[in-house]
Amino acid sequence: MRRIKIFDTTLRDGEQSPGASMNVDEKIQVAKQLKKLGVDIIEAGFPIASPGDFEAVNRISKEVKGIVVAGLCRARDEDIERAAEALKPAEQKRIHTFIATSDIHLKYKLRMDRDQVIQAAVKAVKKAKQYTDDVEFSAEDATRSDWDYLCKITEEVIKAGATTVNIPDTVGYTIPQEYGELIEYLMNKVPNIDKATISVHCHNDLGLAVANSLTAILKGAGQVECTINGIGERAGNAALEEIVMALKVRNDFFKADTGIVTQEIYRTSRLISKITGMVVQANKAIVGANAFAHEAGIHQDGVLKERTTYEIMRPEDIGIPSSKIVLGKHSGRHAFKKRLEELGFSLTEEEINRAFERFKKLADQKKYIFNEDIEALVSDEVLRIAEVYQLIDLEVASGTKKKPTATVKMKINGDEKEITVSGDGPVDSVYRAITELTGSKAELNKFEIKAITGGTDALGEVTVILEEGGHTVRGHGSDTDIIVASAKAYINALNKLALKNLKT
Ligand SMILES: [Zn+2]
């Protein structure tokens, strides 16, 4: 049985999804869950890109042990030095350096010729080698590069010490058969290929990222780069859960395995969705809400008689909680803490206390507390980012014959401010008030509201997308009162924008 390495890039490529930015504390949460999931390598960030990225890589290196932590860098000295610095505390570190190899990129982006690119790549690998033995080289835009040139550069970087060579489909251009042939070509033509692991990194622009990755595995790739829920640049990356479950369910065909603890997949997926605010589509393979739902009568009948008639895997294989036991007013701290663990949150005692306080408040407003409610309150209360803006109080008056008016009291950088404003509706009034108080110039691109669980006492969850100065952020907030949830979401997004502005 071949063992395929899983290189998770949710924290680097995944975070490049428009609006999916995570703060450092959120990244630590994700990294800890990825460790539990059993990924082999975590790509924690691009240290030279921003102080926030540096800090994330550095803290993950310090706080998450027993796993390889990778930092991305261009093929430049200063990038590599910065990555090495960030990775210093890691038990096992990998420096991942890249340069483009396609003629399009050479001509228009790098303005370098092929020999110069090989020299830069070799120099970068040698430099990285001074800090760690574990060096990965990526030939950016490999699938639009000349195959023989790709063989040449692969041979040279392996000679220089690269232990993993990645052949990314950066622009999501290739198709399974072609990609498989390219991997096979490299396996056959590069004389020292046995000294390195071939890695693949596919984007989903044509919806082929997973198919391409799986074909490459068949042809000899030993590492797959992927993200939870397939998030990433543009149409995203290959989805980790789809690759892993394809290898597991069709083990007879692939004869390859991973070290993933599949029972942690669902939890990880929910965590990423909560933290990034990127909702998983209901019909998404493996982790979508409908992935195990049988609607047609004939199917239901079949599954009841014999599960395998219509089910190729079981929900519990990916860790969908079988107990739907709801918590309520009388649930104690211990039961609550246990549920948090089951849901994949690794929180400090202080954070658990904060979450438990909020849970008690919620249990007064709402009879049954579902897993989704707990997830919402944790992401709301505990994973909160350093707050420039805080909501203190909110009062809204509206009705069929009344002009909607909102009074909002906020703490802004420590100062309390209050204002009363009217608008076209209660939410509009609240948003106008917040805009006036904060002086924000951000534009609201999207406003989405949904009930997390059933019933009129359900938590309402609001997601907003704000844009300012080229930055797009998502904010979310939840509350049994949808106007309060709307205010929280808006303020959450403003805090994220404030954080972005600090970073750049
Ligand atoms: Zn990518």
Side-chain angles (χ1 to χ4, degrees), residues 9 12-14 16 43 166 168-171 201-203 225 232-234 236-237:
T9 185
R12 202 276 299 164
D13 211 322
Q16 284 170 231
E43 186 161 59
N166 184 33
D169 185 26
T170 308
V171 292
H201 174 117
C202 297
H203 278 272
E225 305 194 359
E233 278 278 359
R234 307 183 308 279
N237 287 66

Side-chain angles (χ1 to χ4, degrees), residues 51-292:
D53 255 47
F54 179 91
E55 198 196 336
V57 176
N58 193 243
R59 277 193 50 202
I60 290 169
S61 298
K62 259 185 226 148
E63 294 175 34
V64 187
K65 300 292 179 188
I67 195 162
V68 179
V69 182
L72 185 68
C73 41
R74 289 166 299 186
R76 294 183 184 184
D77 282 357
E78 63 269 32
D79 280 41
I80 297 165
E81 284 158 13
R82 194 83 177 130
E85 180 68 26
L87 289 167
K88 221 179 215 165
E91 238 169 40
Q92 303 166 66
K93 59 188 83 129
R94 171 178 295 188
I95 293 181
H96 179 193
T97 182
F98 73 96
I99 192 164
T101 52
S102 66
D103 289 333
I104 300 178
H105 280 234
L106 262 59
K107 186 172 168 201
Y108 298 105
K109 189 179 83 175
L110 298 174
R111 292 172 211 276
M112 289 165 83
D113 67 28
R114 288 183 177 187
D115 285 335
Q116 288 172 317
V117 166
I118 290 186
Q119 279 166 24
V122 165
K123 186 168 165 257
V125 170
K126 284 186 173 158
K127 168 107 185 158
K129 227 32 196 179
Q130 294 170 8
Y131 304 100
T132 174
D133 276 338
D134 189 346
V135 175
E136 172 167 338
F137 171 76
S138 277
E140 190 189 6
D141 203 18
T143 49
R144 292 192 300 171
S145 303
D146 177 77
W147 286 18
D148 288 317
Y149 177 60
L150 207 51
C151 287
K152 183 79 196 137
I153 198 165
T154 301
E155 184 183 347
E156 294 302 323
V157 295
I158 294 173
K159 247 189 240 165
T163 43
T164 303
V165 180
N166 184 33
I167 309 297
D169 185 26
T170 308
V171 292
Y173 177 73
T174 197
I175 54 171
Q177 187 172 354
E178 178 190 59
Y179 196 47
E181 282 166 11
L182 170 59
I183 301 299
E184 199 168 31
Y185 195 80
L186 286 157
M187 296 303 286
N188 292 332
K189 294 276 164 108
V190 178
N192 52 1
I193 198 79
D194 57 315
K195 299 208 166 47
T197 301
I198 289 286
S199 169
V200 291
H201 174 117
C202 297
H203 278 272
N204 209 27
D205 299 71
L206 295 174
L208 294 169
V210 169
N212 286 332
S213 305
L214 290 170
T215 309
I217 289 173
L218 287 172
K219 299 297 184 184
Q223 174 180 290
V224 182
E225 305 194 359
C226 44
T227 61
I228 306 297
N229 300 339
I231 65 171
E233 278 278 359
R234 307 183 308 279
N237 287 66
L240 179 147
E241 62 278 8
E242 294 178 24
I243 288 170
V244 168
M245 290 313 285
L247 292 177
K248 189 179 162 102
V249 172
R250 294 310 311 276
N251 201 262
D252 61 317
F253 182 76
F254 288 104
K255 306 212 170 6
D257 214 344
T258 68
I260 295 295
V261 181
T262 62
Q263 291 77 9
E264 293 289 337
I265 285 178
Y266 185 71
R267 242 167 265 174
T268 317
S269 165
R270 300 284 310 173
L271 182 69
I272 298 297
S273 174
K274 278 291 137 198
I275 286 181
T276 60
M278 290 182 75
V279 178
V280 174
Q281 81 201 52
N283 63 327
K284 162 89 175 58
I286 317 293
V287 290
N290 294 350
F292 293 93

